[in-house]
Amino acid sequence: MRMFRLLGFILAIILAQPALANAPGQEAEPIRNARSLDANNGAVILSFRSELYLIAKMELFFLREGGDPANAADVYRFSRKEGGFSLGGNSTTKYKVRAYQLPAGRYRLVAHGAKCTKVPSPNERCIADVRFAGIGETVSFPSRGYGEDAPVFEVRAGALTNAGDFALTARNTIEWSVIPPKKLSKIAKQFASIPTAPQPNVSQDYLLKYPLRPRSMSDDRGRRY
């Protein structure tokens, strides 16, 4: 019976995925190379990993300097979810390095979360009712808002920003590290023709403390998918 409840719970979350279309902000636009850049935009290389098993899509939210988290035009999000054939294990501990384009400006990490209908405030969690055929529960998703001390990267028009790797840990924190050269080199070659922007500004408190290892659907405080 317990296994059937778990399967029903997982299916309910999968079927509820269209609700993520209401996630706050706007999805960062992927690009392939420097020629794809629009005027007044810069390129950003970013990796997003998770040691938690992600049944629901997880979002990173960045606020443009001077903007309002409640204004969708000021918030950009980057997402990560499990692959279609990853039920046997967590695939999101692996690097997923992508290039995006953003308007020029400075961007600060303001939150992470899944199924969020607004950008979480500091220490706020995103909550959703997940049910299928009468099976399910109200779920408090691993999520958190961040203050002024969070990592910041700068985007310059016509330039490339290496924003680094952002990792969701089982401590329900986003922690930062550099992207390994072997993971970075292939995509960076597509932007070799444009100048580079400054490195991100990341305090010691946000540096990745331990290597990621695959975890379950629960963080270390029992917040469960």
Side-chain angles (χ1 to χ4, degrees):
M1 175 62 77
R2 188 174 181 181
M3 178 59 69
F4 285 117
R5 285 181 59 84
L6 177 60
L7 291 175
F9 184 64
I10 292 173
L11 180 59
I13 294 178
I14 294 171
L15 292 177
Q17 289 287 24
L20 289 172
N22 297 321
Q26 49 194 315
E27 188 81 27
E29 180 186 350
I31 55 173
R32 291 181 176 274
N33 50 50
R35 297 187 299 277
S36 305
L37 273 176
D38 295 335
N40 300 318
N41 284 0
V44 177
I45 293 178
L46 182 145
S47 172
F48 180 18
R49 296 185 293 155
S50 173
E51 65 179 353
L52 292 177
Y53 186 91
L54 300 181
I55 289 180
K57 183 188 292 185
M58 182 63 64
E59 311 275 1
L60 282 179
F61 300 102
F62 286 85
L63 178 67
R64 193 175 181 184
E65 188 175 54
D68 182 349
N71 183 1
D74 294 333
V75 176
Y76 287 83
R77 65 181 190 268
F78 301 81
S79 61
R80 185 76 190 262
K81 62 181 180 180
E82 294 290 350
F85 300 96
S86 62
L87 287 177
N90 184 347
S91 66
T92 57
T93 56
K94 299 176 182 178
Y95 290 93
K96 187 174 183 180
V97 184
R98 295 288 184 271
Y100 308 85
Q101 65 172 339
L102 294 177
R106 288 169 56 84
Y107 293 83
R108 175 173 60 86
L109 174 70
V110 286
H112 75 270
K115 291 188 173 295
C116 298
T117 57
K118 68 182 185 70
V119 176
S121 300
N123 297 319
E124 184 180 16
R125 291 173 289 177
C126 299
I127 298 175
D129 288 323
V130 180
R131 299 185 182 279
F132 176 73
I135 300 173
E137 61 187 283
T138 299
V139 181
S140 176
F141 289 88
S143 46
R144 175 175 289 176
Y146 299 97
E148 297 290 336
D149 62 337
V152 173
F153 63 80
E154 181 180 353
V155 178
R156 294 183 177 179
L160 174 66
T161 299
N162 179 359
D165 177 69
F166 294 81
L168 172 61
T169 75
R171 299 175 293 282
N172 189 34
T173 57
I174 294 293
E175 299 179 6
W176 184 92
S177 62
V178 298
I179 301 172
K182 287 185 178 180
K183 302 293 183 180
L184 179 67
S185 61
K186 183 177 180 181
I187 194 165
K189 287 179 181 178
Q190 304 303 315
F191 298 89
S193 62
I194 60 176
T196 56
Q199 293 295 309
N201 183 6
V202 183
S203 73
Q204 286 289 125
D205 292 341
Y206 283 88
L207 296 182
L208 185 65
K209 299 171 180 60
Y210 308 102
L212 297 193
R213 64 182 181 87
R215 302 292 186 107
S216 69
M217 294 180 285
S218 299
D219 69 8
D220 61 1
R221 293 191 179 181
R223 286 182 280 257
R224 180 166 64 84
Y225 289 90

